[in-house]
Amino acid sequence: MENYNNTIELDAHPESVFSALTNGIPFWWTKMFEGSSNKQDKSFTVRFGEQIFKKFKVQELIPGKKAVWYVEDSLLNVPGLKNQKEWIGTTIIWEITESKSGTGLHLTHVGLRPDIECYEICTDGWKQFTASLKLYLETGKGKPFLNQEQSSTETVS
């Protein structure tokens, strides 16, 4: 079975894309961010409310080219989902390529395959947040997950 793959084209420099993946996660993915995503061998956690989180270890960083995150811990407490820890042991690979028309960003989620229970929910999530990443890089304002206590009108500055 093939791992989840998605490529987006961006009107942004490779260095800006790399910076968004290493320093800008709260601006496009979730405001509920803690830890360090810009140093190899460090860990960071993203949360989506109280019931969903993912803890990553940064495995590899090549400035302007690549970021690799290993999922150390995860909980997908979603109604109807039996295996709520399917992300544990999976790997997220971001590969940045420059072309004449802009920058390509290729996402591979190793271990997120059509035969796992959360595949549809998780691929929909990736599509939503890669669209937010594109928006953030091209306009300066993404659409990250906001904690329910935060105002839905809050914008990224």
Side-chain angles (χ1 to χ4, degrees):
M1 289 265 150
E2 191 172 319
N3 296 304
Y4 175 74
N5 285 277
N6 186 22
T7 300
I8 57 173
E9 292 297 321
L10 303 162
D11 185 14
H13 289 87
E15 294 79 16
S16 298
V17 176
F18 185 77
S19 180
L21 296 172
T22 55
N23 297 309
I25 291 171
F27 302 114
W28 62 269
W29 201 3
T30 177
K31 293 280 191 177
M32 300 176 74
F33 172 90
E34 57 197 43
S36 177
S37 55
N38 62 3
K39 291 186 177 83
Q40 196 162 312
D41 297 323
K42 295 293 184 181
S43 295
F44 68 96
T45 301
V46 292
R47 295 183 186 281
F48 303 87
E50 298 298 317
Q51 304 298 315
I52 300 173
F53 77 89
K54 295 151 181 77
K55 181 180 179 189
F56 299 95
K57 181 173 186 176
V58 179
Q59 283 192 320
E60 183 179 4
L61 294 175
I62 302 172
K65 300 276 185 201
K66 188 176 190 181
V68 180
W69 308 332
Y70 175 78
V71 182
E72 295 182 305
D73 197 7
S74 174
L75 178 65
L76 298 169
N77 190 350
V78 176
L81 194 63
K82 292 181 187 118
N83 186 352
Q84 299 181 348
K85 297 195 170 270
E86 285 184 305
W87 276 47
I88 297 173
T90 66
T91 302
I92 315 305
I93 303 168
W94 301 96
E95 296 172 290
I96 304 164
T97 55
E98 192 170 11
S99 69
K100 291 180 183 177
S101 60
T103 300
L105 179 61
H106 184 77
L107 163 63
T108 304
H109 187 158
V110 179
L112 181 58
R113 299 177 313 272
D115 63 333
I116 71 167
E117 189 181 5
C118 83
Y119 186 78
E120 192 172 315
I121 295 167
C122 293
T123 57
D124 285 349
W126 275 129
K127 289 172 190 168
Q128 175 186 346
F129 290 114
T130 54
S132 175
L133 173 59
K134 180 177 176 67
L135 197 61
Y136 170 65
L137 284 163
E138 294 180 354
T139 71
K141 292 187 180 187
K143 292 185 177 180
F145 175 84
L146 299 173
N147 189 352
Q148 302 211 355
E149 285 104 40
Q150 293 174 309
S151 167
S152 61
T153 60
E154 182 178 332
T155 58
V156 175
S157 53

